[in-house]
Amino acid sequence: MIEVLDGRATTVGDVPVRRVLPRRGRRTVGAWCFADHMGPTPVDEFRGVDIGPHPHIGLHTVTWLVAGELLHRDSLGSEQMVRPGQLNLMTAGRGVAHAEESTGGYRGDLHGMQLWVAQPDATRHGPPAFEHHADLPQVSLGAGEATVLVGEFGDVMSPARADTDLVGIDAVLRAGVSAWGLRPEFEYAVVVIDGTVAVDDTVVAPGQLGYLGLGRDELTVSATDDARLLLLGGVPFDEPVLIWWNYVARTRGEVTAAGLDWNSEGERFGRVDTALARIPSPVPPWQRSSG
Ligand code: MN
């Protein structure tokens, strides 16, 4: 039984996105806790993603492009362009800030995925970090091939950091059917990037999340034409996650404290070297005065 959930259309900068995670009734898939499918949409030097410095806590950001480019700058001093086939993975831990820009010299389509992974208690109070991976391992599928972004798939291991047992792959499919080996102790979901895919017998289209649940050791994927999808999975994340704005926390108090620390421009989140304006942390609803 595959549960198909429709994503929610919104925008990030000038770019339309479909937010397929979290959804009502489905907050996490393993430790994956956020998934925005960006574009495809044309960008140029005047129009694109230009997100000024903003803070994160308690999560990894995973940026994966199918087309276009994004420039990442963070408060650790990292400055890294990410292009299709490359992975940017930033660990927030106790606090980091970054900016993302696309309105440089690139003209063309921007298309990709912005994902977050919740950090477990064991690491979420730890130091921030940034990784860029230009060479990720590939696995041959029955009708296509996959890049292993995070974790292990088909006996191939990604070099990217993972604080919990999880997996993320990008499968580029040709017309045909393939059977994928899965781990029964993982829950899984598929996010279709391009084309239409039948997962077992359930059709999943771009803008949707197909949730597969736990207890499977195999998955049959079929496409009648070229298609592309992400498979996300992991051991169910059993810590009570509170996601608010750019923070992945456990309690309202942690979110409130992060917002105050960011807005007071103290040491915790550091500075990002960019011309873009800082984005202030909004006041959470539980802090708004009622009169
Ligand atoms: Mn961010």
Side-chain angles (χ1 to χ4, degrees), residues 162-224:
D163 291 8
T164 57
D165 206 2
L166 83 169
V167 70
I169 71 166
D170 175 16
V172 177
L173 304 174
R174 299 180 294 274
V177 180
S178 38
W180 302 356
L182 300 184
R183 288 172 56 181
E185 72 276 24
F186 274 21
E187 59 180 345
Y188 291 93
V190 296
V191 180
V192 177
I193 294 176
D194 216 357
T196 298
V197 176
V199 179
D200 288 348
D201 292 321
T202 303
V203 172
V204 186
Q208 297 180 320
L209 181 86
Y211 179 70
L212 312 178
L214 281 158
R216 289 169 172 268
D217 55 17
E218 196 177 75
L219 178 66
T220 303
V221 176
S222 51
T224 52

Short mmCIF file of all heavy atoms in Angstrom, two decimals, residues 162-224:
data_model
loop_
_atom_site.label_atom_id
_atom_site.label_comp_id
_atom_site.label_asym_id
_atom_site.label_seq_id
_atom_site.Cartn_x
_atom_site.Cartn_y
_atom_site.Cartn_z
N ALA A 162 26.18 11.35 7.61
CA ALA A 162 24.83 10.95 8.03
C ALA A 162 24.90 10.63 9.52
O ALA A 162 25.70 9.80 9.94
CB ALA A 162 24.35 9.73 7.25
N ASP A 163 24.10 11.32 10.33
CA ASP A 163 24.14 11.13 11.78
C ASP A 163 23.19 10.05 12.25
O ASP A 163 23.24 9.63 13.41
CB ASP A 163 23.81 12.45 12.49
CG ASP A 163 24.91 13.49 12.33
OD1 ASP A 163 25.85 13.25 11.54
OD2 ASP A 163 24.83 14.55 12.97
N THR A 164 22.27 9.63 11.37
CA THR A 164 21.39 8.50 11.66
C THR A 164 21.45 7.58 10.45
O THR A 164 21.99 7.95 9.41
CB THR A 164 19.93 8.96 11.89
OG1 THR A 164 19.49 9.68 10.72
CG2 THR A 164 19.81 9.86 13.11
N ASP A 165 20.87 6.40 10.58
CA ASP A 165 20.89 5.43 9.49
C ASP A 165 19.84 5.85 8.47
O ASP A 165 18.63 5.77 8.75
CB ASP A 165 20.60 4.03 10.07
CG ASP A 165 21.20 2.93 9.23
OD1 ASP A 165 21.87 3.24 8.22
OD2 ASP A 165 20.99 1.76 9.58
N LEU A 166 20.27 6.35 7.33
CA LEU A 166 19.31 6.81 6.33
C LEU A 166 19.90 6.69 4.93
O LEU A 166 21.09 6.38 4.77
CB LEU A 166 18.87 8.24 6.59
CG LEU A 166 19.70 9.43 6.12
CD1 LEU A 166 18.90 10.70 6.27
CD2 LEU A 166 20.97 9.54 6.90
N VAL A 167 19.06 6.90 3.92
CA VAL A 167 19.52 6.82 2.54
C VAL A 167 18.78 7.85 1.69
O VAL A 167 17.63 8.21 1.98
CB VAL A 167 19.30 5.39 1.96
CG1 VAL A 167 17.81 5.07 1.76
CG2 VAL A 167 20.06 5.19 0.66
N GLY A 168 19.46 8.35 0.67
CA GLY A 168 18.84 9.19 -0.35
C GLY A 168 19.51 8.90 -1.67
O GLY A 168 20.74 8.94 -1.75
N ILE A 169 18.73 8.55 -2.68
CA ILE A 169 19.29 8.32 -4.01
C ILE A 169 18.50 9.10 -5.05
O ILE A 169 17.31 9.37 -4.86
CB ILE A 169 19.33 6.82 -4.41
CG1 ILE A 169 17.92 6.29 -4.70
CG2 ILE A 169 20.04 5.98 -3.35
CD1 ILE A 169 17.91 4.94 -5.41
N ASP A 170 19.16 9.45 -6.15
CA ASP A 170 18.52 10.09 -7.30
C ASP A 170 18.60 9.10 -8.44
O ASP A 170 19.69 8.78 -8.91
CB ASP A 170 19.27 11.38 -7.65
CG ASP A 170 18.74 12.05 -8.89
OD1 ASP A 170 17.62 11.72 -9.33
OD2 ASP A 170 19.45 12.92 -9.44
N ALA A 171 17.44 8.58 -8.85
CA ALA A 171 17.40 7.56 -9.89
C ALA A 171 16.96 8.16 -11.21
O ALA A 171 15.91 8.79 -11.30
CB ALA A 171 16.43 6.45 -9.48
N VAL A 172 17.79 7.98 -12.24
CA VAL A 172 17.47 8.43 -13.59
C VAL A 172 17.06 7.19 -14.37
O VAL A 172 17.87 6.28 -14.56
CB VAL A 172 18.69 9.12 -14.24
CG1 VAL A 172 18.38 9.52 -15.68
CG2 VAL A 172 19.10 10.34 -13.42
N LEU A 173 15.79 7.16 -14.77
CA LEU A 173 15.21 5.93 -15.33
C LEU A 173 14.93 6.07 -16.82
O LEU A 173 14.56 7.14 -17.30
CB LEU A 173 13.88 5.62 -14.63
CG LEU A 173 13.94 5.47 -13.11
CD1 LEU A 173 12.53 5.30 -12.55
CD2 LEU A 173 14.81 4.29 -12.72
N ARG A 174 15.08 4.94 -17.51
CA ARG A 174 14.59 4.81 -18.88
C ARG A 174 13.29 4.01 -18.82
O ARG A 174 12.95 3.45 -17.77
CB ARG A 174 15.60 4.03 -19.73
CG ARG A 174 16.96 4.70 -19.83
CD ARG A 174 17.91 3.86 -20.69
NE ARG A 174 18.22 2.57 -20.08
CZ ARG A 174 19.20 2.36 -19.20
NH1 ARG A 174 19.95 3.37 -18.82
NH2 ARG A 174 19.42 1.16 -18.70
N ALA A 175 12.58 3.95 -19.93
CA ALA A 175 11.37 3.12 -19.96
C ALA A 175 11.74 1.70 -19.56
O ALA A 175 12.73 1.16 -20.04
CB ALA A 175 10.76 3.16 -21.35
N GLY A 176 10.96 1.13 -18.68
CA GLY A 176 11.23 -0.24 -18.25
C GLY A 176 10.87 -0.43 -16.80
O GLY A 176 10.33 0.46 -16.15
N VAL A 177 11.20 -1.61 -16.31
CA VAL A 177 10.85 -1.99 -14.94
C VAL A 177 12.12 -2.38 -14.22
O VAL A 177 12.96 -3.09 -14.78
CB VAL A 177 9.86 -3.18 -14.94
CG1 VAL A 177 9.49 -3.58 -13.52
CG2 VAL A 177 8.61 -2.84 -15.74
N SER A 178 12.27 -1.92 -12.99
CA SER A 178 13.39 -2.41 -12.19
C SER A 178 12.92 -2.73 -10.78
O SER A 178 11.97 -2.14 -10.27
CB SER A 178 14.55 -1.41 -12.18
OG SER A 178 14.11 -0.09 -12.13
N ALA A 179 13.60 -3.70 -10.17
CA ALA A 179 13.30 -4.09 -8.79
C ALA A 179 14.47 -3.64 -7.93
O ALA A 179 15.63 -3.92 -8.25
CB ALA A 179 13.12 -5.60 -8.71
N TRP A 180 14.16 -2.91 -6.87
CA TRP A 180 15.20 -2.37 -5.99
C TRP A 180 15.13 -3.08 -4.65
O TRP A 180 14.07 -3.23 -4.07
CB TRP A 180 15.00 -0.88 -5.75
CG TRP A 180 14.98 -0.02 -6.98
CD1 TRP A 180 15.20 -0.42 -8.27
CD2 TRP A 180 14.72 1.39 -7.04
NE1 TRP A 180 15.10 0.65 -9.12
CE2 TRP A 180 14.81 1.78 -8.39
CE3 TRP A 180 14.43 2.35 -6.08
CZ2 TRP A 180 14.61 3.09 -8.81
CZ3 TRP A 180 14.24 3.66 -6.50
CH2 TRP A 180 14.33 4.02 -7.85
N GLY A 181 16.30 -3.47 -4.14
CA GLY A 181 16.35 -4.05 -2.81
C GLY A 181 16.23 -2.97 -1.75
O GLY A 181 16.91 -1.94 -1.82
N LEU A 182 15.35 -3.18 -0.78
CA LEU A 182 15.15 -2.22 0.30
C LEU A 182 15.47 -2.88 1.64
O LEU A 182 15.62 -4.10 1.73
CB LEU A 182 13.70 -1.71 0.33
CG LEU A 182 13.20 -0.99 -0.92
CD1 LEU A 182 11.79 -0.48 -0.66
CD2 LEU A 182 14.11 0.15 -1.34
N ARG A 183 15.56 -2.07 2.68
CA ARG A 183 15.81 -2.57 4.03
C ARG A 183 14.52 -2.51 4.84
O ARG A 183 13.95 -1.43 5.02
CB ARG A 183 16.91 -1.72 4.70
CG ARG A 183 18.28 -1.99 4.10
CD ARG A 183 19.32 -1.03 4.61
NE ARG A 183 19.42 -1.04 6.06
CZ ARG A 183 20.26 -0.26 6.75
NH1 ARG A 183 21.07 0.56 6.12
NH2 ARG A 183 20.29 -0.31 8.07
N PRO A 184 14.05 -3.66 5.36
CA PRO A 184 12.75 -3.68 6.04
C PRO A 184 12.68 -2.77 7.27
O PRO A 184 11.59 -2.32 7.63
CB PRO A 184 12.60 -5.15 6.45
CG PRO A 184 13.54 -5.92 5.60
CD PRO A 184 14.66 -5.00 5.23
N GLU A 185 13.83 -2.49 7.90
CA GLU A 185 13.80 -1.64 9.09
C GLU A 185 13.76 -0.14 8.74
O GLU A 185 13.66 0.70 9.63
CB GLU A 185 14.99 -1.95 10.01
CG GLU A 185 16.34 -1.49 9.49
CD GLU A 185 17.04 -2.46 8.51
OE1 GLU A 185 16.34 -3.26 7.84
OE2 GLU A 185 18.27 -2.37 8.39
N PHE A 186 13.82 0.17 7.45
CA PHE A 186 13.70 1.55 6.98
C PHE A 186 12.25 1.82 6.56
O PHE A 186 11.56 0.94 6.05
CB PHE A 186 14.56 1.79 5.73
CG PHE A 186 16.00 2.16 6.00
CD1 PHE A 186 16.62 1.87 7.20
CD2 PHE A 186 16.74 2.79 5.01
CE1 PHE A 186 17.96 2.20 7.41
CE2 PHE A 186 18.07 3.13 5.20
CZ PHE A 186 18.69 2.84 6.40
N GLU A 187 11.81 3.06 6.75
CA GLU A 187 10.63 3.54 6.03
C GLU A 187 11.16 4.32 4.83
O GLU A 187 12.28 4.86 4.86
CB GLU A 187 9.75 4.42 6.92
CG GLU A 187 10.44 5.64 7.48
CD GLU A 187 9.54 6.50 8.36
OE1 GLU A 187 8.31 6.32 8.34
OE2 GLU A 187 10.09 7.35 9.09
N TYR A 188 10.35 4.38 3.76
CA TYR A 188 10.79 5.01 2.52
C TYR A 188 9.70 5.90 1.93
O TYR A 188 8.50 5.68 2.18
CB TYR A 188 11.12 3.95 1.46
CG TYR A 188 12.33 3.11 1.72
CD1 TYR A 188 12.23 1.88 2.38
CD2 TYR A 188 13.59 3.52 1.29
CE1 TYR A 188 13.34 1.09 2.61
CE2 TYR A 188 14.72 2.73 1.51
CZ TYR A 188 14.58 1.52 2.17
OH TYR A 188 15.70 0.74 2.39
N ALA A 189 10.15 6.85 1.12
CA ALA A 189 9.22 7.61 0.29
C ALA A 189 9.90 7.92 -1.03
O ALA A 189 11.13 7.97 -1.11
CB ALA A 189 8.81 8.91 0.98
N VAL A 190 9.09 8.10 -2.07
CA VAL A 190 9.64 8.55 -3.36
C VAL A 190 9.11 9.95 -3.66
O VAL A 190 7.97 10.29 -3.33
CB VAL A 190 9.28 7.60 -4.53
CG1 VAL A 190 9.91 6.23 -4.32
CG2 VAL A 190 7.80 7.48 -4.73
N VAL A 191 9.98 10.74 -4.28
CA VAL A 191 9.62 12.08 -4.77
C VAL A 191 9.98 12.08 -6.25
O VAL A 191 11.15 11.93 -6.60
CB VAL A 191 10.41 13.18 -4.03
CG1 VAL A 191 10.01 14.55 -4.56
CG2 VAL A 191 10.18 13.10 -2.52
N VAL A 192 8.98 12.23 -7.10
CA VAL A 192 9.23 12.19 -8.54
C VAL A 192 9.67 13.58 -9.00
O VAL A 192 9.00 14.58 -8.74
CB VAL A 192 7.99 11.71 -9.30
CG1 VAL A 192 8.24 11.73 -10.81
CG2 VAL A 192 7.60 10.31 -8.84
N ILE A 193 10.82 13.63 -9.66
CA ILE A 193 11.38 14.89 -10.13
C ILE A 193 10.91 15.19 -11.55
O ILE A 193 10.65 16.32 -11.91
CB ILE A 193 12.93 14.82 -10.09
CG1 ILE A 193 13.40 14.73 -8.63
CG2 ILE A 193 13.56 16.03 -10.77
CD1 ILE A 193 14.91 14.55 -8.50
N ASP A 194 10.81 14.15 -12.35
CA ASP A 194 10.50 14.32 -13.77
C ASP A 194 9.80 13.07 -14.28
O ASP A 194 10.19 11.97 -13.89
CB ASP A 194 11.84 14.50 -14.51
CG ASP A 194 11.72 15.47 -15.66
OD1 ASP A 194 10.61 15.95 -15.92
OD2 ASP A 194 12.75 15.73 -16.29
N GLY A 195 8.81 13.25 -15.13
CA GLY A 195 8.12 12.10 -15.70
C GLY A 195 7.12 11.52 -14.71
O GLY A 195 6.81 12.13 -13.69
N THR A 196 6.63 10.36 -15.04
CA THR A 196 5.64 9.70 -14.19
C THR A 196 6.13 8.29 -13.95
O THR A 196 6.64 7.64 -14.85
CB THR A 196 4.26 9.68 -14.89
OG1 THR A 196 3.85 11.03 -15.07
CG2 THR A 196 3.23 8.96 -14.04
N VAL A 197 6.00 7.86 -12.70
CA VAL A 197 6.56 6.57 -12.31
C VAL A 197 5.48 5.76 -11.61
O VAL A 197 4.69 6.32 -10.84
CB VAL A 197 7.75 6.81 -11.34
CG1 VAL A 197 8.30 5.50 -10.82
CG2 VAL A 197 8.86 7.60 -12.05
N ALA A 198 5.43 4.47 -11.87
CA ALA A 198 4.57 3.59 -11.08
C ALA A 198 5.44 2.87 -10.06
O ALA A 198 6.46 2.26 -10.40
CB ALA A 198 3.85 2.59 -11.98
N VAL A 199 5.07 3.02 -8.80
CA VAL A 199 5.79 2.41 -7.70
C VAL A 199 4.90 1.26 -7.23
O VAL A 199 3.78 1.51 -6.77
CB VAL A 199 6.01 3.44 -6.58
CG1 VAL A 199 6.73 2.82 -5.42
CG2 VAL A 199 6.80 4.63 -7.12
N ASP A 200 5.41 0.02 -7.36
CA ASP A 200 4.51 -1.14 -7.36
C ASP A 200 3.43 -0.83 -8.41
O ASP A 200 3.80 -0.64 -9.55
CB ASP A 200 3.94 -1.41 -5.97
CG ASP A 200 5.03 -1.99 -5.04
OD1 ASP A 200 6.10 -2.37 -5.56
OD2 ASP A 200 4.81 -2.04 -3.83
N ASP A 201 2.17 -0.68 -8.03
CA ASP A 201 1.18 -0.35 -9.07
C ASP A 201 0.61 1.04 -8.91
O ASP A 201 -0.38 1.40 -9.56
CB ASP A 201 0.04 -1.39 -9.05
CG ASP A 201 0.53 -2.75 -9.52
OD1 ASP A 201 1.35 -2.79 -10.47
OD2 ASP A 201 0.12 -3.76 -8.92
N THR A 202 1.22 1.84 -8.04
CA THR A 202 0.68 3.16 -7.75
C THR A 202 1.44 4.23 -8.52
O THR A 202 2.67 4.29 -8.46
CB THR A 202 0.76 3.46 -6.24
OG1 THR A 202 0.07 2.42 -5.55
CG2 THR A 202 0.16 4.80 -5.89
N VAL A 203 0.71 5.07 -9.25
CA VAL A 203 1.34 6.12 -10.04
C VAL A 203 1.66 7.32 -9.15
O VAL A 203 0.81 7.78 -8.39
CB VAL A 203 0.41 6.54 -11.20
CG1 VAL A 203 0.95 7.77 -11.92
CG2 VAL A 203 0.23 5.38 -12.17
N VAL A 204 2.90 7.78 -9.24
CA VAL A 204 3.33 8.97 -8.49
C VAL A 204 3.88 9.97 -9.51
O VAL A 204 4.66 9.61 -10.39
CB VAL A 204 4.40 8.63 -7.43
CG1 VAL A 204 4.72 9.85 -6.57
CG2 VAL A 204 3.95 7.46 -6.54
N ALA A 205 3.44 11.22 -9.39
CA ALA A 205 3.80 12.28 -10.34
C ALA A 205 4.60 13.36 -9.62
O ALA A 205 4.60 13.44 -8.39
CB ALA A 205 2.53 12.87 -10.95
N PRO A 206 5.28 14.24 -10.39
CA PRO A 206 5.98 15.37 -9.76
C PRO A 206 5.02 16.19 -8.89
O PRO A 206 3.86 16.37 -9.24
CB PRO A 206 6.47 16.18 -10.96
CG PRO A 206 6.67 15.15 -12.04
CD PRO A 206 5.52 14.18 -11.85
N GLY A 207 5.53 16.64 -7.76
CA GLY A 207 4.69 17.39 -6.83
C GLY A 207 4.04 16.53 -5.77
O GLY A 207 3.33 17.03 -4.91
N GLN A 208 4.26 15.23 -5.86
CA GLN A 208 3.68 14.31 -4.88
C GLN A 208 4.77 13.57 -4.13
O GLN A 208 5.89 13.39 -4.63
CB GLN A 208 2.79 13.27 -5.59
CG GLN A 208 1.61 13.90 -6.30
CD GLN A 208 0.75 12.86 -7.00
OE1 GLN A 208 1.28 11.92 -7.60
NE2 GLN A 208 -0.56 13.04 -6.93
N LEU A 209 4.40 13.12 -2.93
CA LEU A 209 5.24 12.23 -2.14
C LEU A 209 4.54 10.88 -2.10
O LEU A 209 3.37 10.80 -1.73
CB LEU A 209 5.40 12.77 -0.71
CG LEU A 209 6.29 11.95 0.22
CD1 LEU A 209 7.75 12.36 0.06
CD2 LEU A 209 5.88 12.13 1.68
N GLY A 210 5.23 9.84 -2.49
CA GLY A 210 4.68 8.49 -2.36
C GLY A 210 5.31 7.83 -1.15
O GLY A 210 6.51 7.54 -1.16
N TYR A 211 4.53 7.63 -0.09
CA TYR A 211 5.06 7.08 1.16
C TYR A 211 4.88 5.56 1.16
O TYR A 211 3.77 5.07 0.98
CB TYR A 211 4.36 7.71 2.37
CG TYR A 211 4.86 7.16 3.68
CD1 TYR A 211 6.15 7.46 4.11
CD2 TYR A 211 4.07 6.31 4.46
CE1 TYR A 211 6.64 6.93 5.30
CE2 TYR A 211 4.55 5.78 5.65
CZ TYR A 211 5.84 6.09 6.06
OH TYR A 211 6.32 5.57 7.23
N LEU A 212 5.98 4.85 1.38
CA LEU A 212 5.97 3.39 1.25
C LEU A 212 5.91 2.67 2.59
O LEU A 212 5.66 1.46 2.61
CB LEU A 212 7.25 2.91 0.54
CG LEU A 212 7.64 3.63 -0.75
CD1 LEU A 212 8.94 3.08 -1.28
CD2 LEU A 212 6.56 3.49 -1.79
N GLY A 213 6.21 3.37 3.68
CA GLY A 213 6.17 2.73 4.99
C GLY A 213 7.36 1.82 5.24
O GLY A 213 8.38 1.88 4.55
N LEU A 214 7.20 0.99 6.23
CA LEU A 214 8.25 0.09 6.72
C LEU A 214 8.02 -1.34 6.22
O LEU A 214 6.96 -1.66 5.73
CB LEU A 214 8.14 0.01 8.25
CG LEU A 214 8.69 1.13 9.12
CD1 LEU A 214 8.02 1.09 10.48
CD2 LEU A 214 10.20 0.99 9.27
N GLY A 215 9.03 -2.17 6.41
CA GLY A 215 8.84 -3.62 6.28
C GLY A 215 8.95 -4.17 4.87
O GLY A 215 8.54 -5.30 4.62
N ARG A 216 9.52 -3.39 3.96
CA ARG A 216 9.67 -3.89 2.58
C ARG A 216 11.11 -4.32 2.33
O ARG A 216 12.03 -3.63 2.74
CB ARG A 216 9.41 -2.76 1.58
CG ARG A 216 8.00 -2.33 1.48
CD ARG A 216 7.96 -1.03 0.67
NE ARG A 216 6.57 -0.71 0.41
CZ ARG A 216 5.93 -1.09 -0.68
NH1 ARG A 216 6.55 -1.75 -1.64
NH2 ARG A 216 4.66 -0.79 -0.83
N ASP A 217 11.27 -5.39 1.60
CA ASP A 217 12.64 -5.72 1.17
C ASP A 217 12.82 -5.51 -0.33
O ASP A 217 13.91 -5.70 -0.86
CB ASP A 217 13.04 -7.14 1.60
CG ASP A 217 12.08 -8.19 1.13
OD1 ASP A 217 11.28 -7.90 0.21
OD2 ASP A 217 12.12 -9.30 1.67
N GLU A 218 11.76 -5.10 -1.01
CA GLU A 218 11.88 -4.85 -2.44
C GLU A 218 10.83 -3.85 -2.90
O GLU A 218 9.78 -3.72 -2.29
CB GLU A 218 11.70 -6.16 -3.22
CG GLU A 218 12.19 -6.06 -4.65
CD GLU A 218 12.06 -7.39 -5.39
OE1 GLU A 218 10.93 -7.74 -5.76
OE2 GLU A 218 13.09 -8.03 -5.62
N LEU A 219 11.18 -3.16 -3.97
CA LEU A 219 10.27 -2.19 -4.56
C LEU A 219 10.37 -2.33 -6.07
O LEU A 219 11.46 -2.46 -6.61
CB LEU A 219 10.74 -0.78 -4.15
CG LEU A 219 9.96 0.39 -4.70
CD1 LEU A 219 8.55 0.38 -4.13
CD2 LEU A 219 10.67 1.68 -4.35
N THR A 220 9.21 -2.33 -6.73
CA THR A 220 9.20 -2.39 -8.19
C THR A 220 8.86 -1.01 -8.73
O THR A 220 7.84 -0.43 -8.36
CB THR A 220 8.17 -3.42 -8.69
OG1 THR A 220 8.49 -4.68 -8.11
CG2 THR A 220 8.19 -3.53 -10.19
N VAL A 221 9.75 -0.50 -9.57
CA VAL A 221 9.57 0.84 -10.14
C VAL A 221 9.46 0.68 -11.65
O VAL A 221 10.33 0.06 -12.27
CB VAL A 221 10.78 1.73 -9.78
CG1 VAL A 221 10.66 3.09 -10.44
CG2 VAL A 221 10.89 1.89 -8.27
N SER A 222 8.41 1.25 -12.23
CA SER A 222 8.31 1.17 -13.68
C SER A 222 8.01 2.53 -14.28
O SER A 222 7.29 3.34 -13.69
CB SER A 222 7.28 0.13 -14.11
OG SER A 222 6.08 0.34 -13.45
N ALA A 223 8.59 2.76 -15.43
CA ALA A 223 8.40 4.01 -16.16
C ALA A 223 8.11 3.66 -17.61
O ALA A 223 8.66 2.71 -18.14
CB ALA A 223 9.67 4.86 -16.06
N THR A 224 7.19 4.42 -18.22
CA THR A 224 6.89 4.17 -19.64
C THR A 224 7.73 5.08 -20.53
O THR A 224 7.74 4.93 -21.74
CB THR A 224 5.40 4.43 -19.92
OG1 THR A 224 5.05 5.72 -19.44
CG2 THR A 224 4.53 3.38 -19.24
#
